[in-house]
Amino acid sequence: MNYCGITAPDIANGTGCRVVLWISGCNHKCKGCHNPETWDYKYGKLFDQDAKNIISQWLSKPYIKGLTISGGDPLDRTDNELLEILDLCKYIKNNFSNKDIWIYTGFTYEELMEKSNNIIYKILMEIDYLVDGPFIKELKDLSIPFRGSTNQRIIDLEINKFHIKKKIEGQS
């Protein structure tokens, strides 16, 4: 999996001061996207231990509230790349349990739940907030926090963990 950058401190992509990992690759190609260079899955550099160390150094600072994974689309990936994201989320939860994790995706929550992909379900179990839905230029609204268009939602996944767990267990 490639990434095109790590920004910190960042206050535009979730609550508080955050670290943002910008993943490369997105098939949504939303009209008016603010970072179309991230559409290319080969853009940037390979996510490796050095990148993980940079994220860890930032997360160790008491004023950093958490990690945001954006892009591109972190959930528009191969299973192997999704496993990398799952491993990163587990690492953060195990080593920085007081930090939250946000993920931005162009898929809706409902679309993710229909994918029948246990790796995505397991990622959703590890993260705290999902900002879902494609950016729609005609619905652009600069007055809403942490989103680009009014169709996008900030979903607190804690209230959805029961349903996600049932999906993992093979029940609807």
Side-chain angles (χ1 to χ4, degrees):
M1 165 178 78
N2 280 15
Y3 75 104
C4 54
I6 298 170
T7 56
D10 180 293
I11 59 169
N13 295 286
T15 57
C17 289
R18 311 190 65 75
V19 180
V20 181
L21 173 63
W22 300 94
I23 303 285
S24 298
C26 182
N27 282 313
H28 302 290
K29 297 181 174 43
C30 302
K31 184 173 93 179
C33 175
H34 72 282
N35 49 351
E37 66 279 0
T38 66
W39 295 351
D40 181 355
Y41 288 84
K42 294 178 182 149
Y43 180 74
K45 44 192 164 173
L46 192 63
F47 185 78
D48 59 9
Q49 189 60 46
D50 289 339
K52 195 175 188 181
N53 291 343
I54 292 167
I55 292 169
S56 296
Q57 288 170 1
W58 277 104
L59 288 173
S60 68
K61 299 178 184 314
Y63 60 89
I64 297 293
K65 186 165 184 336
L67 172 69
T68 298
I69 306 172
S70 192
D73 189 334
L75 300 180
D76 186 19
R77 331 226 54 82
T78 67
D79 283 352
N80 284 339
E81 292 170 326
L82 287 170
L83 285 171
E84 285 186 78
I85 291 171
L86 177 60
D87 288 344
L88 175 62
C89 292
K90 285 182 175 186
Y91 170 80
I92 300 304
K93 287 299 180 178
N94 288 333
N95 293 284
F96 301 96
S97 59
N98 61 331
K99 309 293 181 172
D100 64 11
I101 302 173
W102 288 50
I103 286 185
Y104 281 75
T105 182
F107 297 109
T108 64
Y109 173 77
E110 293 79 12
E111 288 170 330
L112 293 172
M113 294 305 287
E114 291 172 6
K115 282 189 172 288
S116 298
N117 186 319
N118 270 356
I119 304 168
I120 287 177
Y121 302 153
K122 288 175 182 179
I123 291 169
L124 296 176
M125 288 295 290
E126 294 295 326
I127 68 173
D128 301 285
Y129 296 94
L130 180 75
V131 181
D132 80 334
F135 171 73
I136 298 175
K137 188 175 182 178
E138 295 76 21
L139 299 177
K140 182 177 180 176
D141 185 344
L142 298 178
S143 70
I144 55 174
F146 313 125
R147 291 159 288 162
S149 56
T150 56
N151 63 298
Q152 296 172 314
R153 303 173 294 180
I154 300 171
I155 300 173
D156 180 344
L157 288 177
E158 190 57 41
I159 61 175
N160 293 298
K161 300 265 169 137
F162 175 79
H163 298 292
I164 299 166
K165 187 175 182 200
K166 291 289 183 194
K167 285 289 215 177
I168 292 171
E169 294 169 352
Q171 304 169 17
S172 290

